Amino acid sequence: MNFLLKCILFYLVSTHTFAGTPIPIDRVVAIVGESVIIESELDREISLAQNNITKSGSSMPDLNFLRKQVLERMITREALEGLADRTGIRVSDNEVRLALQRLAQQQNLSVTDYLNLVEKQGLSAYQLRQNILTETKIMKLRRREVETKLIVNESEIESYLDKLRDAPASDESLIAHILITIPENATIEDLEVATSKAQEAISKFDSGVDFRQVAAELSEASDALEGGVMGWRDPSNLPDLFLDALKVMRIGQRSDVLRSPNGFHILYLLDKRGRDAQIIVQQTLARHILLRVDRAVSEDDALIKAMDIRNRIVIGGEDFEQLAKTTSDDPSGVKGGKLGWLMPGETVPEFELALNSLEPGAVSKPVRTQFGYHLIEVLDRRDSDISEERQKAVARQAILRQKLEFRFEEWVRQVRDTTFIKYVN
């Protein structure tokens, strides 16, 4: 929350009385740049974290450790949002609305039902929208400052594909990890503190404490409160440092302390599973008509036009291809709206969700995306082995994800190091 606004609110609250009794003010727990974090916000975030940990089945960390982890996450979020605001990143109301719709769709709920569910879990609709706004800003900032600067060369792609071909059939691992960061230009004292913390984590685990609980208490990675779980990974999607450790680990076993440029890592092998050598995906042949929403065309006008065109196709029997050529605002209109054979992930989530729900020959109801309203028709589907070009594209994305994980943690640390942060006892 903006620092000046909070100061005004604190003054008003502290000077107001009800029946002669002063209303206590909300205490500031941290100052981050031009913003502050107040105790009620921290308490709310702790409560949400406790709910998530309970749902995940992990052991609950000590409240003092949990409070520290949640506060650190909030400080990082405030620092990143402050940088986004200062550098001109903006998020429109429409982007927030579409993100909210995606969250509801993932739960197979209407937006209203989803908001009701969230409120039962202790988060108001306003707070949810503010969280979406903040996370979208940070995502845009990350894309600009980190993702666009990552480079993957052809030799890296060939190396990835060689690993994939040579990997044994049963090589996917479900991994959790603990990261203890080391500052840039670390002093001997910095290394001693990090080493001590890593040893504390190992001692806790070896004494019988659940690894995910130790991660939630001590890890400095962004996924700490999720128990440090990294998800299922194949060898081609892991750094050599982790691969060498995992080769000799059994399920339920931890690694020794591993050193990387980011700091110290401790891995825990949760499970293993087999992986099919052949990569088969379902492709969809589709076409669409797009009615854009912009300054010249309102939301209502675009929706009405989309409904009218759908009725002309479904009820009136008019030709989809011809209507796409004459009415679509997308460049594909000149080709009758044809998009070719689509792979999973090639379209925006709202479009793909509607696409996957359609039977061949069916025309969707108007589908709203960031581009406007779409009418979608599925022409055919097929299972296809990924081509060499597609394998390279998949390899490139996997390498980028791997690089992003390490670069993102490093970049976040740099942002925090250059942000004024003060803890208020």
Side-chain angles (χ1 to χ4, degrees):
M1 184 183 290
N2 179 272
F3 181 78
L4 179 59
L5 176 58
K6 281 188 176 176
C7 287
I8 293 171
L9 290 174
F10 295 158
Y11 173 77
L12 292 174
V13 172
S14 62
T15 56
H16 179 70
T17 60
F18 180 76
T21 303
I23 299 175
I25 66 172
D26 210 343
R27 188 172 69 90
V28 175
V29 294
I31 301 171
V32 187
E34 297 180 356
S35 298
V36 296
I37 296 172
I38 57 179
E39 193 161 32
S40 63
E41 292 173 336
L42 176 58
D43 289 342
R44 183 175 66 245
E45 291 287 334
I46 290 173
S47 178
L48 291 170
Q50 288 173 322
N51 289 339
N52 290 334
I53 291 169
T54 299
K55 287 179 181 177
S56 71
S58 298
S59 301
M60 189 66 64
D62 178 87
L63 184 58
N64 290 328
F65 283 113
L66 182 61
R67 186 182 191 279
K68 181 178 182 296
Q69 286 282 44
V70 172
L71 179 57
E72 291 302 318
R73 178 176 284 195
M74 293 176 72
I75 287 172
T76 297
R77 194 167 58 205
E78 288 282 355
L80 294 174
E81 184 177 17
L83 178 60
D85 289 338
R86 291 194 304 276
T87 55
I89 288 179
R90 299 292 179 264
V91 177
S92 68
D93 291 340
N94 190 51
E95 287 176 290
V96 174
R97 186 174 61 79
L98 290 174
L100 181 57
Q101 288 178 350
R102 284 196 295 271
L103 290 171
Q105 287 170 349
Q106 288 167 9
Q107 300 291 326
N108 293 319
L109 295 172
S110 67
V111 171
T112 301
D113 289 341
Y114 179 71
L115 290 175
N116 290 336
L117 175 65
V118 168
E119 288 188 350
K120 287 179 182 177
Q121 295 172 346
L123 195 67
S124 70
Y126 172 78
Q127 291 160 351
L128 174 63
R129 287 187 171 92
Q130 289 302 112
N131 285 352
I132 292 173
L133 179 67
T134 297
E135 293 303 321
T136 306
K137 283 182 187 176
I138 293 173
M139 181 184 67
K140 287 186 174 184
L141 180 68
R142 185 184 74 170
R143 188 177 298 129
R144 187 187 70 191
E145 298 296 328
V146 181
E147 294 180 24
T148 58
K149 297 177 183 179
L150 297 176
I151 298 173
V152 178
N153 57 48
E154 288 300 318
S155 63
E156 289 176 303
I157 292 174
E158 289 303 323
S159 176
Y160 175 96
L161 293 174
D162 287 342
K163 274 184 177 181
L164 203 61
R165 296 184 193 104
D166 297 339
S170 199
D171 63 352
E172 282 193 323
S173 303
L174 181 61
I175 307 164
H177 77 132
I178 293 170
L179 168 65
I180 309 299
T181 59
I182 298 174
E184 288 187 85
N185 304 316
T187 64
I188 293 176
E189 289 77 16
D190 291 329
L191 289 173
E192 288 176 349
V193 169
T195 301
S196 176
K197 194 171 180 181
Q199 289 302 322
E200 180 186 358
I202 283 180
S203 297
K204 278 178 172 284
F205 174 72
D206 288 349
S207 67
V209 181
D210 182 77
F211 187 92
R212 289 172 293 183
Q213 180 179 336
V214 179
E217 292 180 352
L218 298 178
S219 179
E220 296 168 18
S222 58
D223 56 15
L225 290 178
E226 288 72 48
V229 178
M230 300 172 65
W232 288 100
R233 302 297 179 94
D234 64 49
S236 56
N237 201 18
L238 287 169
D240 290 338
L241 177 70
F242 287 11
L243 275 178
D244 292 340
L246 287 166
K247 283 176 183 176
V248 296
M249 289 172 61
R250 298 185 304 275
I251 294 172
Q253 188 176 31
R254 68 158 174 85
S255 71
D256 293 327
V257 178
L258 311 174
R259 174 73 185 271
S260 81
N262 278 356
F264 294 128
H265 304 262
I266 305 167
L267 304 181
Y268 179 64
L269 183 56
L270 291 162
D271 201 0
K272 282 187 175 180
R273 70 182 182 189
R275 176 179 58 83
D276 294 330
Q278 191 179 28
I279 304 173
I280 301 293
V281 298
Q282 186 180 71
Q283 293 178 305
T284 303
L285 182 64
R287 57 188 178 187
H288 80 137
I289 295 170
L290 170 64
L291 289 311
R292 290 194 181 277
V293 176
D294 52 31
R295 292 181 180 178
V297 181
S298 71
E299 183 94 15
D300 289 343
D301 288 344
L303 177 57
I304 290 170
K305 187 174 181 182
M307 288 297 298
D308 176 63
I309 294 171
R310 184 178 188 275
N311 289 337
R312 289 166 66 183
I313 297 169
V314 175
I315 300 173
E318 292 191 43
D319 184 63
F320 190 106
E321 181 176 348
Q322 289 303 316
L323 283 172
K325 289 179 179 179
T326 57
T327 65
S328 181
D329 295 324
D330 191 71
S332 64
V334 296
K335 300 181 293 182
K338 291 179 181 176
L339 298 171
W341 287 100
L342 296 171
M343 299 281 293
E346 281 193 324
T347 60
V348 294
E350 302 88 354
F351 192 101
E352 183 162 338
L353 188 67
L355 188 73
N356 293 339
S357 68
L358 291 172
E359 294 295 329
V363 177
S364 73
K365 294 179 180 179
V367 177
R368 182 69 164 94
T369 73
Q370 65 201 68
F371 305 107
Y373 283 98
H374 306 257
L375 298 174
I376 308 166
E377 182 182 19
V378 170
L379 300 173
D380 197 5
R381 285 197 171 94
R382 70 184 183 189
D383 290 332
S384 177
D385 189 11
I386 296 178
S387 64
E388 183 178 350
E389 292 75 17
R390 177 56 59 181
Q391 286 185 27
K392 287 186 175 182
V394 171
R396 183 183 299 278
Q397 289 302 314
I399 296 167
L400 283 172
R401 282 195 303 271
Q402 180 181 322
K403 288 186 173 186
L404 179 61
E405 286 179 5
F406 287 92
R407 178 68 188 110
F408 181 63
E409 296 284 356
E410 180 185 8
W411 171 72
V412 168
R413 189 172 67 236
Q414 291 170 353
V415 173
R416 283 187 58 125
D417 288 346
T418 56
T419 302
F420 174 77
I421 299 171
K422 182 178 180 180
Y423 299 87
V424 182
N425 294 326

